[in-house]
Amino acid sequence: MLIGELAERTGTSERLLRYYERMGLLRPQRRPNGYRFYDGAAEESVLRIRALLAAGLPTRVIRQVLPCTTADAAVMPCPGVLDALRGQLSALDERSARIASARETLVRTIAAAEGALGSVESEPAPVRERAQESAQGRLSDPASTVEP
């Protein structure tokens, strides 16, 4: 099948299929006119590539894992594959921990800002308005709000 048909069957753009080829994930044959020609197994390969990408694997790891996958997308324990998958899992765990830490910092910052905003609500209106403007980043120069 030609690249357009493979793209249609897999829901993948032709540009992305060419990228998979450049990354060594797909190996189409070439016709005498230079057109790419994909065999029937290419459709399954593209679907496996997309599933592995969705699992967070980079193309360099997919290139190593793909030959060790079965038609039902199960991964066989080929040499080095489990180490590559464990390494990727470790990287995802580290990234997840950094995101969780950043999220907790943001939650504390929001809570502190809401607490500070709530404490100025009992102040007179001009003081409360200046505090709200400052919290929203609209107050650039505190001296500019002081009347002569």
Side-chain angles (χ1 to χ4, degrees):
M1 79 186 89
L2 296 176
I3 193 168
E5 185 179 351
L6 181 60
E8 186 177 317
R9 286 184 177 193
T10 61
T12 305
S13 70
E14 292 180 19
R15 182 176 178 193
L16 198 50
L17 293 173
R18 288 185 201 96
Y19 172 76
Y20 294 164
E21 181 184 352
R22 280 194 313 276
M23 295 296 106
L25 303 176
L26 283 178
R27 291 185 180 86
Q29 299 172 359
R30 292 288 184 154
R31 290 194 165 171
N33 61 4
Y35 286 10
R36 292 170 176 85
F37 183 79
Y38 298 88
D39 62 17
E43 185 176 347
E44 290 178 11
S45 292
V46 171
L47 296 176
R48 279 186 263 156
I49 291 166
R50 293 179 60 95
L52 293 167
L53 285 168
L57 296 178
T59 55
R60 66 178 168 71
V61 173
I62 293 173
R63 188 173 39 251
Q64 184 179 2
V65 171
L66 194 60
C68 299
T69 58
T70 62
D72 62 350
V75 177
M76 305 302 293
C78 296
V81 168
L82 289 176
D83 289 338
L85 293 175
R86 286 185 184 115
Q88 187 60 28
L89 180 59
S90 178
L92 288 173
D93 287 343
E94 289 172 15
R95 192 165 45 179
S96 178
R98 285 192 308 271
I99 290 171
S101 176
R103 185 184 187 286
E104 183 57 35
T105 300
L106 186 56
V107 166
R108 285 194 310 268
T109 302
I110 290 170
E114 288 174 341
L117 190 58
S119 69
V120 296
E121 288 187 4
S122 62
E123 297 288 333
V127 173
R128 183 173 59 245
E129 289 168 5
R130 279 197 304 268
Q132 288 172 339
E133 289 173 355
S134 178
Q136 295 172 354
R138 289 186 288 186
L139 189 58
S140 58
D141 181 14
S144 67
T145 60
V146 178
E147 294 183 23

